[in-house]
Amino acid sequence: MIQALNYMKGLDELPIVIAHHPSRSATGMGVWGQDTPQEFRNWNDTAPNIAIGMEGAPGHQATSINKDGSNDPNGARGSYGNVNAPTMGGFDQMTAKVGGLWDSMLGEGRHWWITATSDSHVNWRDGGGDFWPGEYSKTYVKSVKDYENIMENLRNGHVFVTTGDLISELDVKVQAGGKSPLHAVAKGNSASIGETLTLSGKKKDVTVTIRLKDPKAANANGDKPNVKRVDIIMGEVNGKVEDKTTAENITSKVVERFTEKDWKQDGEYITITYTLKDVDKDSYIRLRGTNTDQLEPVADPRGEDPWTDLWFYSNPIFIKSSK
C-alpha cells in the first residue's frame, strides 16, 4: 500500500483513497482485523492528500431485508458478521465510539474524514443485501457540480453523511467572539465543516451555529423520520502520538445534547446556537444526530431494521489556539 501511495503521489491528477468498511474483519471492540490504526497513520503520513479517511457508515445495510420485504433475523448490518464487533447505529465502531479511533486521529490534528457508501453489489430486491446507491446512505459534499471540485472538497473534508435521509442539509459555523460578526469574518475568526478556526486571543468564547434540514419528504422506505437529538462532540488536539496503535482520545466527549426544546424550527429547518466558553486549547468539534432515543449508538443486533436506527455525522471543524 505504501508503494502504491508513493506511486499515486507522482500522478498528474491525485486520486483519493478511503478505507473501506474498516472494522468488518475486527473480532471485538478495538480488536482489529485487516485494517489497523497504525496502518491508517502510515497511509496518511505517506500521502495526506490521497489517503484522506475511512468509511464511517459501511454499505450492505439491507442484509436484514428479504427479497419479499420481510425481515431476515440473521442479517448483520454492513455484513459485519462477528457478533462481538457489529456496527453501532449502522456506523463502524471506529467512527461511532466517542473517544475511539476517529477521535484519536483527529486528536493528532489529522485531516481524516468519514464518508458513507452503499457498496451496492446485489440489491435486496434481487436477493442481495444492498441498497441502491443513495437509497439509504448518502455522502454530502459542499461543491459545485464539477468532478474536480467534488474531489477537492472531499479532500478538504467539506462533507457530512447521513442514513435514511434523516437530514438533507447541514451547515455548521464556529465563530470566535469579537467586536462584530463582520469583524470576526474579516479576521479569519470563522470556520465551517472541514476548516480551521484560528483564535486571536489566548482564551475565547466560541459560538457554534448549526442549521440543518429535516425534510418532510418521504425517504426510500416511505418513512418521514424526525431528528430527535443533536450532539456536539469535542476533543483536544495534542499532536502526533508516539504509539501508532493508539485508538483512543481520552479528551473527547459529548459537550452538549440538544432536543426539540432546545432548538428553533422553521418548517423543515432547525437552528441551534451554542457557546463554548473560554476555549484555550487546540481542539476540534464534530456533530452527530439521530432519530432514536439512544444517548450513544449501541451495538446493532442481528435482524435490525436499518430504517428505524438512523444517524448523521459531520466531519470536524478544528480550532487553533494562539497559546
Side-chain angles (χ1 to χ4, degrees):
M1 186 62 181
I2 299 301
Q3 185 178 0
L5 288 169
N6 279 321
Y7 172 79
M8 292 177 202
K9 285 160 62 176
L11 297 175
D12 290 337
E13 296 183 0
L14 295 183
I16 285 174
V17 173
I18 294 168
H20 206 31
H21 40 63
S23 297
R24 195 167 75 180
S25 57
T27 57
M29 302 308 289
V31 185
W32 314 120
Q34 287 182 310
D35 298 296
T36 64
Q38 57 266 43
E39 189 174 17
F40 292 161
R41 288 186 167 96
N42 288 337
W43 293 5
N44 189 244
D45 286 342
T46 301
N49 290 324
I50 297 173
I52 63 166
M54 62 187 180
E55 201 174 48
H60 309 315
Q61 294 270 359
T63 52
S64 63
I65 306 174
N66 289 320
K67 187 176 181 179
D68 62 2
S70 63
N71 176 262
D72 178 355
N74 296 313
R77 291 180 70 175
S79 293
Y80 280 44
N82 194 309
V83 295
N84 296 313
T87 53
M88 304 167 72
F91 280 71
D92 190 287
Q93 61 166 297
M94 285 185 171
T95 294
K97 184 180 177 183
V98 173
L101 186 278
W102 189 24
D103 285 316
S104 177
M105 299 286 279
L106 299 180
E108 294 183 278
R110 292 181 187 271
H111 289 182
W112 189 253
W113 320 121
I114 65 163
T115 52
T117 70
S118 62
D119 202 356
S120 194
H121 295 223
V122 182
N123 189 266
W124 65 267
R125 298 167 182 85
D126 298 318
D130 307 328
F131 290 109
W132 294 124
E135 184 181 359
Y136 181 73
S137 300
K138 285 186 173 73
T139 296
Y140 283 86
V141 184
K142 188 176 184 179
S143 69
V144 297
K145 291 184 177 180
D146 170 82
Y147 293 129
E148 184 177 353
N149 194 255
I150 291 169
M151 289 283 279
E152 285 311 298
N153 282 287
L154 271 170
R155 215 184 300 277
N156 291 321
H158 301 157
V159 173
F160 74 89
V161 302
T162 187
T163 54
D165 291 311
L166 180 59
I167 64 171
S168 58
E169 296 179 24
L170 177 63
D171 288 302
V172 186
K173 183 175 78 171
V174 296
Q175 183 171 297
K179 297 177 182 177
S180 70
L182 289 176
H183 175 81
V185 171
K187 291 291 185 180
N189 293 115
S190 178
S192 58
I193 295 172
E195 297 178 345
T196 299
L197 170 70
T198 301
L199 300 180
S200 58
K202 291 184 178 181
K203 184 179 290 189
K204 285 281 186 179
D205 289 353
V206 174
T207 300
V208 182
T209 305
I210 303 158
R211 187 172 188 264
L212 61 89
K213 185 176 182 180
D214 186 347
K216 292 181 180 178
N219 61 24
N221 196 49
D223 304 325
K224 298 179 181 178
N226 293 316
V227 176
K228 282 193 175 180
R229 198 186 72 254
V230 175
D231 299 332
I232 296 179
I233 297 164
M234 189 173 189
E236 294 178 14
V237 175
N238 291 310
K240 295 289 181 72
V241 294
E242 290 186 13
D243 181 1
K244 287 189 173 183
T245 68
T246 300
E248 67 174 2
N249 182 346
I250 61 173
T251 70
S252 302
K253 61 183 179 181
V254 177
V255 293
E256 194 66 35
R257 302 183 192 273
F258 305 92
T259 59
E260 188 176 10
K261 63 181 175 61
D262 304 309
W263 60 58
K264 295 179 182 178
Q265 186 143 6
D266 181 10
E268 297 177 302
Y269 287 91
I270 291 170
T271 303
I272 299 168
T273 303
Y274 182 73
T275 299
L276 301 166
K277 294 288 188 181
D278 298 332
V279 178
D280 62 352
K281 295 179 180 178
D282 290 352
S283 52
Y284 65 88
I285 66 163
R286 59 183 181 87
L287 264 63
R288 71 177 178 196
T290 183
N291 71 325
T292 73
D293 294 318
Q294 299 170 16
L295 291 181
E296 295 295 327
V298 299
D300 296 325
R302 293 291 180 93
E304 182 178 45
D305 179 358
W307 295 103
T308 64
D309 187 12
L310 306 178
W311 294 76
F312 73 81
Y313 285 76
S314 80
N315 274 288
I317 301 172
F318 291 95
I319 300 172
K320 181 70 176 175
S321 169
S322 64
K323 64 180 180 181

